[in-house]
Amino acid sequence: MRLLIVEDEARLAENIARSLRETAAYAVDVAADGEAGLNAIESNPYDAVILDLMLPKLDGMQVLERVRQSGRRTPILVLTARDDKESVIALLNAGADDYLTKPFDLGELLARAKALVRRGKGQASAALTIDDLQVNTADRTVSRNGRAITLTAMEYRVLEYLAHRPGAVVSKKELLEHLYDYNWEKFSNVIEVYISGLRRKLDDGSSRKLIHTLRNQGYVLRA
Amino acid sequence: MQPNSIQRRLIATVVLSQSLLTAGLVLTGVLYTYWRLLSTLDTSMQARALSLAALVRYNDNATGDVYFDDTMVPPSIDPARPDVFAVWANRSGLLARSDIWPSNVELSPGGDQHWNAKWGHVPYHVLRMSNVPILDRVEGPLSKGPQTLSIIYASPTVRLRQQVRAAGIIIAVASLVLLVLMAKFALRGVGKGLAPLQTLAEQAALVSTQDWELRLPEEVEQIAEIEPVARSMKETLARLQRSFVQQRDFLANAAHELKTPVAVLKSTLQSLLQRPRSSDEYRTGLNQSLEDIERLERLLQWMLRLARAEQWAHGALRRNLELIDLNANCEEAIERVRSLARSRNTQIVLSRNGPLLLRGDPEDLRLVWTNLLENAVRYSPEGSRVEVDLAQDKRDLARLTFKDYGVGIPSEELPHIFERFYRGDPSRTRATGGFGLGLAIAKALVEAYGGTISAESTPGKGTCMTVQLPLDTG
């Protein structure tokens, strides 16, 4: 998953980004003002956006409105210092999916961000089940048929993305766009390494294969 | 009704003036009636006196001697109270006297006159006539010549007085009835007339911090007496609303400004605790937290300064006033920003023109100059200069200008720079460490001393801040 944080307070943005990377294994981009944020949202398929309201150049409300006007359905969580009813109502009506008032709890922010991500993918539960495979996004544990499976951080990222969209064909390009933030170099052949790692850990010794490769199309996670 | 009631006072005024009017009316009516009746009486008395004159006859001896024919004396005007009369002839003397003559009354002939008298407890109106010709005509000359008559005729005025009294009573009773009716109408009229005040009070009670508008029905608002009250109430409300909104905005802004550093601090500490970290990581995190707390502390100090400056501006707290020379005061402020200027290789040039004396708290004014100088230095490119000019504008006005050759302020931001927490482009100002309070504090302090502050700026060329302060000329 790949998230964008639009926050002008550099230290706050850095703290949130670090938390998301470390505990949720998300790829995270940071934009320091509204204009940069809007550009980033328009040019990258983020799985969720964390948007501060008081921003230089373009304030959060304007960013929110422009994103929704252009028809993008990216889940957006707004950080605001105001918790009065009117401003919360205005935020939600402008197209925000959720909000959090400053100062907030980092744990709560992470949980809300994860909930937004899975809602955006049409999932409801934090524990994803595909046949006898269990992917628990809350504590990042994976098991198949009751047997715990240990994955590397990148393998987990790939699996989590596929598990959010079971049965759908996910192209290599899509995976690249959602697993790396723009600080990372993107090597397309690296994906194949992770897929083969996953296949070995999940499917070896099992009669039913879950990870399928469709030539020139991408990958599918299904029973 | 409360003792101090407009309604009561108005009605009291109306009733009092009506009472005076009524009294005047009754008096006029009585006097007029008396005068009319008296003149009627006078006429009747004259007529009777003349008919008495007609009863005087010449003797047949052609001498001119006369006698009074008392067989045809006219009846008294008031049949119940006999009139009194006496007739004299100029040669023959007293000719006749009425049968009834009040005792102890001596009357003698004389000039024409009429007066009131009281004889034996009975009031009389008395008429005296002289040179009344004898009406009787005889043929041929009279040896002693003709005579003329003097007549006194007096009639009791008892009945007249009774009539006047009766008329007075009728007028007085009628007036009193009218007075009572009038008071009742006045009560109702005044009550109705004051009803708009009630409306005003009710509408004023509806004004609240949620809804500041004083809504009055047009017919109430256009009443001449209500209109100035309503207008000044509306003006006051507008003023209160402005200051209320300002305070509320300040609170909202202050909350935001305080919440952000707290959020940073909290997230730093929470992310430190999310997993075990190396002692280096902890050290970095703690140092960052310390920086954040220091920033929070500075912000609180600035907010308190602003609150205090605004209190002084409202004259609530004025202390430690002494005679200050603005030149020296400004130089002290320049010393304070010297190290900042040196670090940016910026020169501060002061030009002074004679002493500028002012009564004030030296720290207040140093704070103003320091804020202006810090802004000027911060927004100037390295190696630039800031020019400070002190001059006497008029006899009692000092003008201080702070001119820099920095980035300038965009014209759309210029009207807002003295607002609290206004920062223009936050990414630029946050980098310079400002909270958007320095200019607001400067403005509050300058205004506390009765001065003005204004800014001119050309983006890319520089900014010039001008402060005008009234001097102590005493």
Side-chain angles (χ1 to χ4, degrees), chain A residues 8-9 11-12 15-16 18-19 22-23 54-57 81-83 102-107 110, chain B residues 256 259-260 262-264 266-268 270-272 274-275 277 281 288 291-292 295 425-427 430:
Chain A
D8 62 326
E9 196 70 47
R11 187 154 313 150
L12 187 58
N15 286 337
I16 299 171
R18 179 163 72 167
S19 232
E22 285 179 359
T23 64
M54 294 276 270
L55 289 171
K57 292 184 184 167
R82 300 181 57 188
D83 54 0
K102 289 182 187 175
F104 48 83
D105 189 279
L106 260 188
L110 294 180
Chain B
H256 178 265
K259 276 176 178 173
T260 300
V262 172
V264 174
K266 194 170 171 182
S267 67
T268 304
Q270 281 183 335
S271 82
L272 268 188
Q274 252 168 4
R275 55 161 65 173
R277 303 198 182 266
E281 278 179 299
Q288 284 179 350
E291 277 173 33
D292 291 336
R295 189 174 150 217
D425 184 348
S427 62
R430 212 167 263 174

Side-chain angles (χ1 to χ4, degrees), chain B residues 324-339:
Chain B
I324 312 163
D325 180 17
L326 286 181
N327 295 289
N329 190 266
C330 203
E331 272 175 11
E332 287 156 18
I334 291 173
E335 276 317 305
R336 282 195 193 176
V337 293
R338 191 70 79 190
S339 68

Side-chain angles (χ1 to χ4, degrees), chain B residues 195-205 214 216-217 220 226 229-230 233:
Chain B
L197 275 183
Q198 191 67 34
T199 314
L200 184 66
E202 281 162 8
Q203 291 304 313
L214 177 64
L216 290 175
V220 171
I226 300 286
V229 178
M233 277 175 84

Side-chain angles (χ1 to χ4, degrees), chain B residues 352-429:
Chain B
R352 38 196 293 177
N353 300 284
L356 297 166
L357 295 178
L358 173 70
R359 202 163 283 282
D361 181 332
E363 183 52 33
D364 283 359
L365 296 168
R366 275 196 295 265
L367 198 56
V368 174
W369 319 137
T370 312
N371 285 351
L372 296 179
L373 286 165
E374 278 183 1
N375 274 340
V377 172
R378 285 218 169 91
Y379 293 120
S380 290
E382 291 219 7
S384 156
R385 56 192 261 149
V386 172
E387 290 164 12
V388 183
D389 183 76
L390 282 76
Q392 197 161 343
D393 219 14
K394 290 178 210 150
R395 208 177 76 80
D396 53 355
L397 204 61
R399 191 176 59 177
L400 296 90
T401 54
F402 298 80
K403 193 170 168 55
D404 68 58
Y405 297 92
V407 291
I409 304 164
S411 57
E412 69 272 15
E413 290 184 14
L414 208 51
H416 304 291
I417 57 169
F418 295 108
E419 288 171 11
R420 292 172 290 201
F421 293 119
Y422 188 81
R423 269 197 299 229
D425 184 348
S427 62
R428 192 184 67 218
T429 39

Side-chain angles (χ1 to χ4, degrees), chain A residues 51-71:
Chain A
L51 177 67
D52 186 25
L53 262 199
M54 294 276 270
L55 289 171
K57 292 184 184 167
L58 220 67
D59 72 33
M61 202 64 168
Q62 287 170 301
V63 174
L64 194 56
E65 281 163 355
R66 293 205 195 171
V67 169
R68 292 303 182 230
Q69 269 164 20
S70 68

